[in-house]
Amino acid sequence: MQRRENEAEITPPRSLRYYEWGLAAGWTLVIAILLMINLRHERSQAIETARTQARSNYQRDVIYRHWNATFGAVYAPVSHRVQPNKYLARFPERDIVTTDGRKFTWINPAYMTRLALELASEKYGVKGHITSLRPIRPENLPDPWERVALASFASGAREADTVEEIGGASYLRLMKPLITEKECLKCHVDQGYRIGDIRGGLSVAVPMEPLWVIARQNSLLNAASFSILWLLGLVGIYLGGGSLRRAMAERDEAERSTRALNRDLLIRTEELESANRELDAFCSTVSHDLRSPLTVIDGFCNLIKESPEVSTEDAKGYAGVMLSSTQKMGRLIATLLDFSRIVRNEVKTASVDLTALSGEIEAELRLAEVQRKAVFTIAEGLVVQGDCDLLRVVIQNLLGNAWKYTRTRPVAEIEVGRRDIGGECQIFVRDNGIGFDNALTGGIFEAFQRLPNAEEFAGTGIGLATVKRIIARHGGRVGCEGETGKGATFFFTLKTSSS
């Protein structure tokens, strides 16, 4: 029974620790995914910023070209950077000389765009290139990336951009098409272009390193922020798990207390039921065993009252019968009082030598009936933990019964020993007395219950009930086994001093 209760003991589920670790792993995974998304966003943001700059540069260059084409011709002083364009030699107005002798050369939109891109590359690192699949100037031939972009324009694309390595550095390359307009035909009509045709493209390469620096700084800041958030989450999980464990411990403690109360209540209920049974038996005993001597006393009192003359000899006889009845009542009342005290006395646990106790009680029994022949066998080393006074009552009752119920035998054989059955240590008292039917063992330890074959032996039926109560208060149990006419064995279990 105790083992089953221990198995049912409330314990915190082991899965709680797994749940905490799983929650921590899940939280870590969420933070890692969010951080990766953020890092990708920072990279995308840097590329988008470069793309915006490239588009802005493209729009600026296109506006310059439109401005130049609108005026038809723009002249600039000839210098080491600005030299007459040999591809415009067929135009007589390419070069002019002012009245003061200064030389100017014609700068068409394409030439002006090239000069502006060279200046932007020198000053700001932004590279640009005007190109075409059929350029007038060989230097304007497209590179492989530009060729792919120009081919995509022919398929309907309006923009091409990727991050590329140029000279060991990272650049955002963007190209948009150049559409042939009316002003463009002045220089490109010989190439067969018509208004609206795609005659080339203008590519811009924006350096990514400054933007990568900003992206890395933002990424480090975001990583630090996410790390702090991750740590705060882990602390929250730990504190939450601790709080949950405390709550579960409090719940389990409450359930254990409830179970203990229920066990106590069950024990109290069983004790109450036993007390009620004993009370019924007590009432029966009082109504029978106490009424019998009272009836005798009452009868003799009436006999004396109604007899006019009672001889001294008769009076002595009447008085002897009444005295015997009152003594019987006294013994019964004393026995009942002793039985009731068993449940009230406090159990004082100590080491008790049952071998010595049995020897003392044997001597008392032999002195009471010196004429009887008896053989006592008492095992050595019967040492247990318990209340010495209460265990004396146990041994006294068991040996007293064995002594009483072997009275009809020529030689009484009584044994006190120890045996181990099913892993349980039992102290037993065995005799060769009248015995009993094993089918009656269920009620043999109940108060005021006597066996059918024991009617000729004096007794109150309380001795074995007293033994049961004392052993129960020690946390043990009692039992018996026997056979009619072949003796009986009564045993009980207690915690031995060596266990």
Side-chain angles (χ1 to χ4, degrees):
M1 177 68 178
Q2 184 66 33
R3 183 178 63 83
R4 288 197 298 270
E5 289 178 355
N6 290 339
E7 289 176 354
E9 189 73 18
I10 302 299
T11 56
R14 295 179 60 186
S15 59
L16 176 60
R17 179 64 62 184
Y18 301 145
Y19 172 77
E20 291 177 1
W21 282 107
L23 192 59
W27 174 246
T28 302
L29 180 61
V30 169
I31 291 297
I33 292 174
L34 291 177
L35 182 59
M36 290 177 60
I37 292 174
N38 186 269
L39 295 178
R40 291 176 63 88
H41 174 73
E42 287 296 332
R43 176 180 173 83
S44 300
Q45 191 67 25
I47 294 174
E48 184 60 32
T49 300
R51 186 179 293 115
T52 301
Q53 292 180 7
R55 288 169 179 165
S56 177
N57 289 334
Y58 170 83
Q59 291 291 349
R60 178 202 61 198
D61 294 336
V62 169
I63 290 172
Y64 292 161
R65 288 172 59 83
H66 277 290
W67 177 83
N68 186 302
T70 300
F71 289 96
V74 175
Y75 290 90
V78 177
S79 64
H80 71 281
R81 180 181 292 274
V82 180
Q83 292 293 318
N85 190 337
K86 62 182 180 178
Y87 300 106
L88 299 177
R90 59 191 177 89
F91 296 100
E93 67 272 25
R94 185 192 72 171
D95 300 306
I96 60 175
V97 180
T98 63
T99 56
D100 57 0
R102 288 191 303 166
K103 294 180 179 180
F104 287 82
T105 188
W106 181 29
I107 307 297
N108 69 341
Y111 191 12
M112 187 181 70
T113 300
R114 179 164 57 85
L115 292 174
L117 293 177
E118 290 174 357
L119 182 62
S121 177
E122 293 174 5
K123 296 291 185 180
Y124 307 107
V126 178
K127 300 180 181 297
H129 188 217
I130 185 170
T131 184
S132 172
L133 294 175
R134 293 182 293 164
I136 298 175
R137 183 172 175 267
E139 290 85 349
N140 290 342
L141 280 170
D143 61 22
W145 183 87
E146 292 172 331
R147 188 175 299 278
V148 173
L150 291 172
S152 69
F153 298 153
S155 301
R158 288 292 176 262
E159 182 179 278
D161 67 85
T162 57
V163 176
E164 300 286 334
E165 292 290 327
I166 301 177
S170 179
Y171 286 84
L172 184 283
R173 298 195 69 179
L174 179 140
M175 175 180 278
K176 294 176 78 68
L178 293 175
I179 307 301
T180 303
E181 299 179 359
K182 181 179 179 180
E183 294 82 358
C184 302
L185 295 178
K186 182 176 182 180
C187 298
H188 299 282
V189 66
D190 295 341
Q191 293 176 286
Y193 289 112
R194 292 176 297 178
I195 296 174
D197 290 345
I198 297 175
R199 58 181 179 80
L202 179 62
S203 69
V204 180
V206 176
M208 291 297 302
E209 186 55 31
L211 298 175
W212 288 147
V213 170
I214 297 174
R216 283 193 292 269
Q217 291 174 348
N218 290 340
S219 297
L220 289 175
L221 180 61
N222 290 333
S225 301
F226 277 104
S227 297
I228 294 173
L229 182 62
W230 175 68
L231 289 175
L232 290 176
L234 292 183
V235 170
I237 292 172
Y238 175 78
L239 294 178
S243 177
L244 183 58
R245 282 192 295 273
R246 288 192 296 273
M248 293 179 67
E250 292 173 358
R251 181 205 65 186
D252 294 346
E253 182 61 30
E255 290 195 19
R256 281 191 288 268
S257 299
T258 301
R259 289 191 173 193
L261 289 174
N262 289 338
R263 285 194 297 269
D264 291 343
L265 181 60
L266 181 60
I267 293 172
R268 297 301 181 190
T269 301
E270 292 175 352
E271 291 177 352
L272 182 59
E273 291 176 351
S274 177
N276 287 335
R277 290 192 299 269
E278 293 170 359
L279 181 60
D280 292 339
F282 175 78
C283 293
S284 176
T285 300
V286 170
S287 64
H288 181 270
D289 292 356
L290 291 182
R291 182 177 295 174
S292 294
L294 286 174
T295 301
V296 172
I297 295 172
D298 180 74
F300 278 98
C301 287
N302 286 327
L303 183 60
I304 294 172
K305 179 181 177 181
E306 294 176 359
S307 297
E309 294 180 1
V310 178
S311 65
T312 302
E313 185 177 349
D314 290 339
K316 288 182 178 181
Y318 297 160
V321 173
M322 288 188 290
L323 179 60
S324 175
S325 297
T326 56
Q327 289 174 346
K328 182 179 180 181
M329 290 175 59
R331 287 194 300 271
L332 182 57
I333 292 172
T335 302
L336 292 173
L337 290 175
D338 290 339
F339 181 68
S340 66
R341 291 193 189 102
I342 294 298
V343 296
R344 296 197 301 269
N345 292 343
E346 181 182 355
V347 176
K348 299 177 181 177
T349 303
S351 181
V352 181
D353 188 349
L354 296 183
T355 299
L357 275 180
S358 300
E360 294 173 6
I361 296 169
E362 175 195 354
E364 294 173 0
L365 293 172
R366 287 184 182 277
L367 286 174
E369 297 183 65
V370 293
Q371 76 283 1
R372 285 189 59 180
K373 295 181 179 181
V375 177
F376 279 82
T377 304
I378 302 174
E380 296 294 331
L382 300 180
V383 181
V384 297
Q385 296 293 318
D387 188 297
C388 184
D389 293 335
L390 293 177
L391 292 181
R392 172 180 283 275
V393 174
V394 170
I395 299 299
Q396 200 163 27
N397 274 286
L398 294 180
L399 286 178
N401 282 347
W403 181 260
K404 177 170 59 176
Y405 293 121
T406 57
R407 185 172 288 116
T408 59
R409 298 293 186 256
V411 179
E413 296 178 3
I414 301 173
E415 180 184 2
V416 180
R418 168 179 172 170
R419 62 186 181 182
D420 295 320
I421 299 179
E424 183 179 59
C425 175
Q426 299 177 355
I427 306 297
F428 67 88
V429 176
R430 182 183 294 123
D431 64 63
N432 64 336
I434 63 172
F436 58 86
D437 186 353
N438 249 338
L440 302 175
T441 58
I444 205 168
F445 286 97
E446 298 298 325
F448 310 108
Q449 301 295 320
R450 303 201 67 200
L451 296 173
N453 61 341
E455 293 296 331
E456 61 180 288
F457 298 91
T460 60
I462 295 179
L464 291 179
T466 302
V467 170
K468 180 181 178 181
R469 278 198 173 190
I470 293 174
I471 297 302
R473 294 202 67 194
H474 282 75
R477 69 179 188 88
V478 295
C480 61
E481 46 193 49
E483 186 176 351
T484 304
K486 294 186 179 181
T489 300
F490 289 84
F491 62 86
F492 59 88
T493 62
L494 282 179
K495 181 179 181 181
T496 60
S497 60
S498 61
S499 61

